[in-house]
Amino acid sequence: MTGTTPGITRRALPGLALPLALPLAGPAAAQAPAQAPAQSPAPTAAPASLTLLLDWFVNPDHAPIVVAQEAGFFGRAGLAVRTIAPADPNDPPRMVAARQADLGVYYQKNLHLAVDQGLPLVRVGTLVATPLSTLSVLRDGPIRSLADLRGKRIGFSTAGFEEVAVGTILGTVGLGVRDVQLVNVNFGLSSALMSGQVEAILGGFRNFELHQLEIEGRPGRAFYPEQHGMPIYDELIYVAHRDRARDPALRRFMDALEGATTFLINNPDESWKMFIAGPRKELDNELNRRAFRDTLNRFALAPAALDANRYQRFARFLHDKAMIGAVPPVERYAVELPAA
């Protein structure tokens, strides 16, 4: 175990990379859709200010946050939310732990490692409730099954979790990490696969990289980790400092996201227009349109709800793989916020 905060870096795909601290509020904010469900009037007191750090540049994984801002869900909940895209994807957990931000978008897999290293973080909500990561190959390439990966090269972007993931997935067909060559391709997963630098890539998101490969005319085939030995987990979560676990403003934030997510599911076309409004117009391309649609059924419909068993199951998995030193009580690192 290293002394640095673990993190899974998302790649800045074409059309996804935007400037730091990109504001989510745009022209659509002044035109809240008529279909948006009515909520109680905004409190007369000044809105509670919250700073939210994303895991990476704004992309369709963040659609509920954008809709909550654009359609006024945050405002009606008495919140003024400032959303920031970090320069370093490892910043959110560090800054939240240091009380320099109120909330951060993070990865459940990495939360366990961060807590094991002593960061005072707690999961307070879920953004994407299913795994997104894959082990992917080219559909027209030499790999037809996991067993075909013996002696082949697997590209990855960020060190720290790749050996456990590859070992677990390949273990379902009697192979192990020593049967393959792991190659750090930095952030060029798709290009490394298409160029033949590697025969497979680990960590490509099923709602992004697979679409990117198809758009480039080199469609891929995905092996899903949760179907090959990995416990199911929440891909993206919201974390706060452990001392904020009963903060009513955070509960209002989650309730606003619940309304925004339901609106998003019910009104995908109108929500897409919000998503590409104003400063996010650069996101209006084929890759993001496909990713937006493909992610709709993966958002947590009840963001505040906690499946404690899911978290303890993954903690036991990491402990069995010697990735964490102990399995702590779930309430130490994952909570369901009390009603506001």
Side-chain angles (χ1 to χ4, degrees):
M1 305 289 287
T2 66
T4 59
T5 304
I8 295 181
T9 304
R10 287 289 294 121
R11 292 142 301 285
L13 297 177
L16 294 184
L18 296 177
L20 177 65
L22 175 70
L24 291 187
Q31 302 174 4
Q35 299 97 316
Q39 296 187 5
S40 56
T44 56
S49 297
L50 292 176
T51 298
L52 169 66
L53 290 177
L54 302 179
D55 55 306
W56 195 230
F57 296 106
V58 176
N59 64 69
D61 290 345
H62 307 128
I65 302 169
V66 175
V67 171
Q69 190 78 279
E70 294 286 347
F73 287 90
F74 285 149
R76 289 191 292 274
L79 301 173
V81 179
R82 180 181 179 226
T83 303
I84 299 174
D88 181 346
N90 289 316
D91 282 347
R94 291 195 295 250
M95 294 182 68
V96 170
R99 305 176 192 273
Q100 295 176 345
D102 300 296
L103 289 161
V105 175
Y106 200 34
Y107 301 83
Q108 181 195 331
K109 291 187 295 187
N110 296 73
L111 172 66
H112 296 277
L113 307 184
V115 170
D116 187 65
Q117 293 179 4
L119 287 187
L121 298 175
V122 62
R123 171 267 180 213
V124 293
T126 301
L127 174 55
V128 175
T130 75
L132 293 178
S133 182
T134 66
L135 176 65
S136 295
V137 300
L138 291 177
R139 192 182 301 169
D140 60 358
I143 309 302
R144 314 304 297 177
S145 69
L146 288 173
D148 295 333
L149 285 170
R150 183 190 295 272
K152 299 299 191 294
R153 299 160 298 179
I154 300 178
F156 67 95
S157 285
T158 304
F161 204 82
E162 75 284 354
E163 289 192 3
V164 168
V166 169
T168 299
I169 296 169
L170 294 184
T172 61
V173 293
L175 300 178
V177 174
R178 294 183 179 180
D179 295 308
V180 297
Q181 179 185 354
L182 295 177
V183 180
N184 190 333
V185 297
N186 295 315
F187 305 132
L189 286 174
S190 296
S191 60
L193 182 61
M194 289 188 290
S195 68
Q197 182 182 349
V198 295
E199 286 78 32
I201 52 173
L202 175 71
F205 274 17
R206 61 197 71 177
N207 60 337
F208 281 104
E209 274 81 356
L210 288 179
H211 289 302
Q212 185 183 35
L213 290 170
E214 187 169 349
I215 290 171
E216 294 289 339
R218 301 296 305 278
R221 174 187 298 111
F223 298 99
Y224 303 119
E226 69 273 18
Q227 294 177 199
H228 297 281
M230 289 278 287
I232 295 174
Y233 55 88
D234 295 336
E235 190 67 59
L236 291 174
I237 60 175
Y238 300 95
V239 294
H241 192 285
R242 194 176 297 146
D243 292 346
R244 303 285 297 276
R246 301 188 64 82
D247 190 330
L250 299 189
R251 180 68 209 207
R252 297 204 306 274
F253 176 89
M254 292 303 157
D255 290 347
L257 283 173
E258 182 175 19
T261 303
T262 298
F263 180 85
L264 170 66
I265 302 303
N266 289 339
N267 305 277
D269 293 335
E270 189 165 2
S271 296
W272 168 253
K273 293 177 183 177
M274 295 182 192
F275 184 75
I276 59 172
R280 295 176 304 277
K281 61 184 178 181
E282 295 180 33
L283 298 176
D284 187 7
N285 59 39
E286 180 63 21
L287 174 58
N288 283 311
R289 280 190 289 273
R290 293 189 187 194
F292 188 90
R293 288 283 181 176
D294 202 20
T295 315
L296 290 177
N297 65 347
R298 300 187 180 277
F299 293 122
L301 294 177
L306 171 67
D307 183 345
N309 179 65
R310 174 177 289 198
Y311 282 72
Q312 286 295 77
R313 185 174 58 209
F314 204 84
R316 290 193 296 269
F317 168 78
L318 292 177
H319 184 256
D320 290 344
K321 300 295 184 181
M323 292 291 288
I324 59 176
V327 179
V330 67
E331 60 269 17
R332 180 184 168 197
Y333 61 92
V335 301
E336 185 166 324
L337 293 163

